[in-house]
């Protein structure tokens, strides 16, 4: 098989990360072109990774004859429109989450992608994390029995600046969106009802932007299981990412990754390393593995593991959580959108 030609739209942090994954870890693909409105950014990444062409206009990526698939790593409000353009030009698509903040736009994108018969994978990389995937594999195998409870802890080491919060879409759409996807993934079921409560306990500036920085979300799944997600914008000890699935026959839990597994025991204390501090440290392997899965699906003409419906449903859950927070009541997901 020939190598899959890749075009990258957006040469910022996540675009560069994916470019490195392909260059260093995926010999079945090669990057033909990269774009960024700040041309010097695209030039720097192209120079570092020996990408043959860099441009400012993403449309040149879409038109490039050497590109079989595009990675959309641009700002969120551009994702859907670029995906629609790419699909109409016959390009397969990897799109960072979310596809869009508005359900109607995601549905429009889905219709175009399906009509054009191209593949579209959404960047929910945490599904590919070694710990989270192992827990899901155990739950899916039946060894835990019927799933009763899914618990997810997701806490950032530092809050984002107020300027970011202002344009992020809020905690549920920006941060917890990964956790809503993880809840579906771990339960093997769809979320039917959401109840959310939140507070501003970390940074008053976040509250001034109309958002929260601390939240508890409870979920009811179609299969009868219950879920609990707790989020915080600041965990002083590091990036706290844990998952637990409890069933009728047992429980599986994934703990935090630490720099080492060394535990020091003395008369004064027993201590070990704190969790990894940043998401790039914690999830680097998962970013590589999700890209391998996408390239493999394109090469073999197989379904992608995380499709556009998987991009739509967490947004519906996030909208339900926000409505629940504002109205202080449980909200059914079909109040937001009926599939």
């Amino acid at each position: 098989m020939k190598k899959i030609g890749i075009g990258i739209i957006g040469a910022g942090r996540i675009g560069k990360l994916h470019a490195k994954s392909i260059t260093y870890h995926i010999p079945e693909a090669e990057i033909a072109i990269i774009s960024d409105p700040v041309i010097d950014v695209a030039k720097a990444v192209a120079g570092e990774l020996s990408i043959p062409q860099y441009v400012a206009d993403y449309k040149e990526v879409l038109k490039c004859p050497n590109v079989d698939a595009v990675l959309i790593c641009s700002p969120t409000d551009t994702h859907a429109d670029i995906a629609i353009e790419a699909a109409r030009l016959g390009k397969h698509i990897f799109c960072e989450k979310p596809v869009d903040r508005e359900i109607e736009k995601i549905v429009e994108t889905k219709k175009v992608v399906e009509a054009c018969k191209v593949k579209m994978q959404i960047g929910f990389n945490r599904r590919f994390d070694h710990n989270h995937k192992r827990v899901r594999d155990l739950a899916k195998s039946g060894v835990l029995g019927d799933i009763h409870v899914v618990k997810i802890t997701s806490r950032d080491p530092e809050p984002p600046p107020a300027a970011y919060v202002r344009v992020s879409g809020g905690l549920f759409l920006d941060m917890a969106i990964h956790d809503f996807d993880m809840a579906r993934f771990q339960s093997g079921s769809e979320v039917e009802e959401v109840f959310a409560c939140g507070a501003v306990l970390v940074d008053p500036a976040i509250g001034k932007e109309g958002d929260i920085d601390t939240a508890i979300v409870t979920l009811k799944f179609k299969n009868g299981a219950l879920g609990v997600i707790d989020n915080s914008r600041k965990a002083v000890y590091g990036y706290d990412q844990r998952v637990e699935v409890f069933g009728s026959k047992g429980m599986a839990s994934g703990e935090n990754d630490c720099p080492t597994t060394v535990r020091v025991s003395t008369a004064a204390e027993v201590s070990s390393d704190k969790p990894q501090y940043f998401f790039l440290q914690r999830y680097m392997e998962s970013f590589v593995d999700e890209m391998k899965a996408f390239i493999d699906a394109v090469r073999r003409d197989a379904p992608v593991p995380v499709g556009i419906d998987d991009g739509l449903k967490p947004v519906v859950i996030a909208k339900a959580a926000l409505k629940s927070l504002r109205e202080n009541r449980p909200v059914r997901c079909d109040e937001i959108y009926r599939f």
Side-chain angles (χ1 to χ4, degrees):
M1 289 186 185
K2 76 177 185 70
K3 291 188 175 185
I4 300 299
I6 300 295
I8 301 179
I9 298 172
R13 181 168 63 188
I14 198 69
K16 184 177 180 180
L17 181 152
H18 289 315
K20 285 184 173 181
S21 293
I22 293 167
T23 301
Y24 299 135
H25 302 287
I26 309 177
E28 298 83 3
E30 57 186 357
I31 305 168
I33 184 172
I34 187 168
S35 74
D36 198 278
V38 182
I39 190 66
D40 286 345
V41 173
K43 180 180 180 181
V45 177
E48 179 181 345
L49 300 177
S50 300
I51 299 170
Q53 189 176 0
Y54 62 91
V55 294
D57 187 354
Y58 76 87
K59 292 181 184 292
E60 294 186 50
V61 175
L62 299 182
K63 294 175 182 177
C64 179
N66 297 324
V67 168
D68 303 301
V70 297
L71 313 186
I72 303 176
C73 308
S74 50
T76 295
D77 59 2
T78 68
H79 288 180
D81 286 336
I82 295 175
I84 288 170
E85 289 184 64
R88 287 174 174 160
L89 289 170
K91 309 295 186 183
H92 300 295
I93 303 156
F94 178 94
C95 183
E96 278 301 328
K97 62 84 188 170
V99 178
D100 198 86
R101 296 191 185 100
E102 298 305 323
I103 292 168
E104 295 77 10
K105 192 70 175 181
I106 302 174
V107 172
E108 178 190 356
T109 306
K110 171 182 163 69
K111 289 178 180 177
V112 173
V113 166
E114 291 176 348
C116 294
K117 301 186 185 307
V118 297
K119 303 180 191 303
M120 183 170 181
Q121 181 169 322
I122 310 304
F124 281 122
N125 63 292
R126 296 183 191 182
R127 289 185 178 217
F128 298 86
D129 172 72
H130 56 289
N131 291 335
H132 300 340
K133 186 176 183 300
R134 174 62 173 155
V135 172
R136 174 56 190 151
D137 288 346
L138 288 166
K140 189 176 181 180
S141 74
V143 71
L144 305 180
D146 296 330
I147 304 305
H148 291 177
V149 178
V150 175
K151 294 175 67 176
I152 298 168
T153 293
S154 181
R155 303 168 184 159
D156 286 348
E158 290 288 344
Y164 174 84
V165 172
R166 192 175 304 131
V167 299
S168 70
L171 183 144
F172 293 136
L173 276 166
D174 173 56
M175 177 184 177
I177 195 85
H178 276 290
D179 306 310
F180 298 142
D181 177 68
M182 185 55 55
R184 295 181 58 244
F185 179 61
Q186 293 294 352
S187 68
S189 185
E190 300 300 340
V191 175
E192 289 192 324
E193 187 178 278
V194 180
F195 184 74
C197 59
V200 180
L201 303 176
V202 173
D203 186 353
I206 292 176
K208 289 178 181 178
E209 297 298 335
D211 197 14
I212 56 173
D213 56 35
T214 308
I216 299 289
V217 181
T218 60
L219 309 169
K220 289 185 178 180
F221 296 97
K222 189 174 182 178
N223 65 2
L226 302 176
V228 181
I229 299 170
D230 80 82
N231 296 116
S232 174
R233 287 289 196 181
K234 184 175 183 178
V236 296
Y237 49 85
Y239 193 40
D240 194 353
Q241 300 285 292
R242 289 172 283 146
V243 166
E244 177 187 299
V245 175
F246 172 78
S248 59
K249 294 181 180 179
M251 184 264 289
S253 60
E255 299 299 321
N256 286 311
D257 276 2
C258 300
T260 74
T261 60
V262 174
R263 178 174 293 180
V264 180
S265 301
T266 68
E269 63 179 2
V270 176
S271 63
S272 59
D273 290 351
K274 293 189 292 185
Q276 299 279 14
Y277 193 77
F278 194 44
F279 81 94
L280 291 179
Q281 298 169 317
R282 173 64 179 83
Y283 285 118
M284 189 63 235
E285 186 179 343
S286 72
F287 285 114
V288 174
D289 288 345
E290 73 169 348
M291 194 54 56
K292 286 181 177 178
F294 173 64
I295 299 299
D296 186 59
V298 172
R299 292 182 80 231
R300 295 191 299 109
D301 192 23
V304 295
V306 191
I308 192 165
D309 276 338
D310 296 310
L312 173 59
K313 290 173 181 177
V315 174
V316 173
I317 300 168
K319 298 274 190 182
L322 185 58
K323 187 177 180 67
S324 173
L325 178 70
R326 289 172 174 170
E327 299 181 7
N328 191 31
R329 68 174 179 90
V331 173
R332 289 186 57 84
C333 288
D334 58 17
E335 293 182 49
I336 307 299
Y337 182 76
R338 288 185 179 272
F339 287 91

